[in-house]
Amino acid sequence: MTKRVRSRRSDGPIPPTLYWRLFRLSPLIMLFGMAAGGVLIIRSILVWGVEDTDYPFGIDIPIAAAVLVVWGCAAVALLTPPRSVLARRDGANESAALVWPLGRRFRLWTIIAAPVCGLLVAIAPFPILVALGWDPAIPANLWLGLPMAIGLALFAAALTWIVLRGALHGVEITPTHLIARGYFITRRYQRDAIVSINAVTLKWWPNLVLSTLMSREVEHTLQLSLVGGEEPMLYAANSHEHDVEIGAEMVRAWRQRAE
């Protein structure tokens, strides 16, 4: 009787070393996606969507499409990490690892928003120019137009920053630190300084801000208790309640192994 040998499952679509390189370079990758998406959408509208206007088809359209395809492949790779770079529930990772459930709810949306965000960034300056009287057919209206234009520009800048950090969004644990990469900033916490980890419900004001910004209800996230008495909220960790509970379990296991 021959013995059946079960084949070992692949670690992932790409090697861990390559994934970490893509991960560290992801803001640049997202920037390429934004630029290519903005060019492709605008040029496509001008060539095929505007009547009685002569906008010829140019080489920039297939180039932007090709860049967008490459960006799409990189985005798929970033969203399907190898198992060896993911944090384990028993906390037995020997090197840096991503706590994948934390931040998972919005990671996909912020990444795939890159092409549309490129369009928004491209058109954001126009309301400011119109408010300043750039178009002779429209009189300048600084009192009304300029605040609206500045608000739109600030929103576009914030959205751009969020999208650039889309693949980084979440929590990473290393042998010595917990790294929380939120929508706007990155915070680091020493492993030995963490006393406890809890899944919590957001207070009303961060709930309102994040829900407005993401156009979806944002309720659950992770909260740390530190040696000095601080209790920071990890907005990088917000996701569905089930994801946050699993992520908290992974971080607790990682922390307990330091004892």
Side-chain angles (χ1 to χ4, degrees), residues 106-180:
F106 298 107
R107 190 180 296 118
L108 170 64
W109 296 111
T110 51
I111 290 177
I112 64 176
V116 178
C117 184
L119 173 64
L120 177 61
V121 172
I123 66 175
F126 287 97
I128 299 178
L129 296 176
V130 172
L132 295 174
W134 174 72
D135 188 348
I138 304 176
N141 188 347
L142 298 181
W143 292 106
L144 178 62
L146 192 57
M148 293 177 61
I150 293 175
L152 177 61
L154 292 176
F155 177 77
L159 183 60
T160 298
W161 188 249
I162 290 173
V163 170
L164 290 179
R165 295 172 60 87
L168 298 175
H169 180 70
V171 174
E172 177 183 351
I173 51 178
T174 74
T176 58
H177 286 79
L178 181 148
I179 306 171

Side-chain angles (χ1 to χ4, degrees), residues 20 23-24 85 87 95-100 102 107 167-181 186-189 194 234 236-237 251 254:
W20 280 118
F23 182 79
R24 305 304 181 194
V85 307
S95 58
L98 300 176
V99 187
W100 197 250
L102 298 180
R107 190 180 296 118
L168 298 175
H169 180 70
V171 174
E172 177 183 351
I173 51 178
T174 74
T176 58
H177 286 79
L178 181 148
I179 306 171
R181 298 185 178 90
T186 297
R187 297 185 181 276
R188 295 172 180 266
Y189 303 94
I194 300 174
L234 303 188
V251 177
W254 163 80

